[in-house]
Amino acid sequence: IYKTKLFDEVIYCEGTAPITLASGNEAHVYAEIAMQYDDGYSSNIFSFCNNVHTHEGGMHETGFRDAMRRVVNNYARDYKFLKDGEDDLTYDDIAEGLTAVISVKHPNPQFEGQTKTKLGNSEVRRIVNGIVSEQFQRFLLEDPRLARMIMEKIVMAANARMAARKAREDARKGTKKNNKE
């Protein structure tokens, strides 16, 4: 099944941040993130550290998720895509139709496990979070037309999730009611 991009632009974020190594020396972590939305329902998040594919994610992916959740929910509230009192949008809502590549270059990566499938450096979470927060927010503010397209897709995903939950609850209530008769 072919998916259609919501828009041609790739959302691109990059930056560096200093860290202090165990030796006391200062080094830099470089992070680069590219993402694009399509009209599909699944997400494809690919993460790497020093060109090693971290299949199980890790701190760089956690920082990305946290930033996306915060930026999207703040934007949704500020621009009335969410009303007061409505629940926050979930990461699953935000990630629906999202393809993202998260790549970090770290002078001393700490992988979890023998297969190097998960990055464990906690400072990477803060670094990626800061870069994505600042630059994705700027992207949304600088291009309201594309921001609206993204937000409408995310809100539609949230509405579908809530409708499915309501349908499950209604079906369970109906089953309980029928069992009592």
Side-chain angles (χ1 to χ4, degrees):
I1 297 175
Y2 293 100
K3 298 176 187 90
T4 305
K5 298 181 284 189
L6 284 189
F7 45 84
D8 287 333
E9 289 82 346
V10 172
I11 304 164
Y12 180 75
C13 309
E14 72 171 332
T16 60
I19 60 167
T20 303
L21 300 174
S23 63
N25 295 335
E26 186 176 282
H28 285 83
V29 172
Y30 173 73
E32 184 175 29
I33 300 94
M35 51 187 148
Q36 191 166 47
Y37 276 94
D38 62 43
D39 62 358
Y41 302 111
S42 61
S43 66
N44 294 294
I45 310 299
F46 303 98
S47 59
F48 300 85
C49 178
N50 297 352
N51 295 328
V52 174
H53 187 192
T54 49
H55 300 281
E56 295 179 36
M59 290 292 126
H60 49 339
E61 238 181 87
T62 303
F64 172 78
R65 288 171 180 256
D66 292 347
M68 291 295 287
R69 204 171 25 243
R70 186 179 54 260
V71 169
V72 166
N73 277 298
N74 288 344
Y75 188 91
R77 294 217 182 277
D78 291 347
Y79 291 89
K80 308 299 181 215
F81 287 96
L82 283 177
K83 296 174 184 72
D84 291 339
E86 283 186 322
D87 289 343
D88 278 354
L89 300 163
T90 68
Y91 177 74
D92 288 340
D93 299 332
I94 295 162
E96 188 173 290
L98 177 66
T99 298
V101 178
I102 306 159
S103 177
V104 296
K105 303 287 190 260
H106 197 293
N108 187 25
Q110 303 297 313
F111 293 104
E112 295 178 13
Q114 292 286 321
T115 56
K116 296 185 176 182
T117 56
K118 191 171 186 178
L119 182 64
N121 298 75
S122 60
E123 71 276 8
V124 173
R125 178 181 185 170
R126 173 186 50 80
I127 293 166
V128 171
N129 189 317
I131 290 167
V132 172
S133 290
E134 177 190 331
Q135 295 180 29
F136 184 53
Q137 181 177 9
R138 183 181 317 130
F139 174 86
L140 294 175
L141 294 173
E142 288 178 355
D143 200 328
R145 181 183 66 84
L146 298 183
R148 173 171 286 287
M149 292 172 78
I150 292 169
M151 295 308 299
E152 287 173 350
K153 173 145 183 68
I154 293 169
V155 168
M156 192 180 333
N159 290 340
R161 173 181 51 83
M162 290 185 278
R165 184 178 67 202
K166 184 177 180 340
R168 272 193 312 276
E169 289 170 359
D170 290 349
R172 288 179 183 144
K173 286 178 187 173
T175 303
K176 287 179 185 175
K177 189 176 184 181
N178 289 340
N179 287 342
K180 288 180 181 179
E181 292 175 358

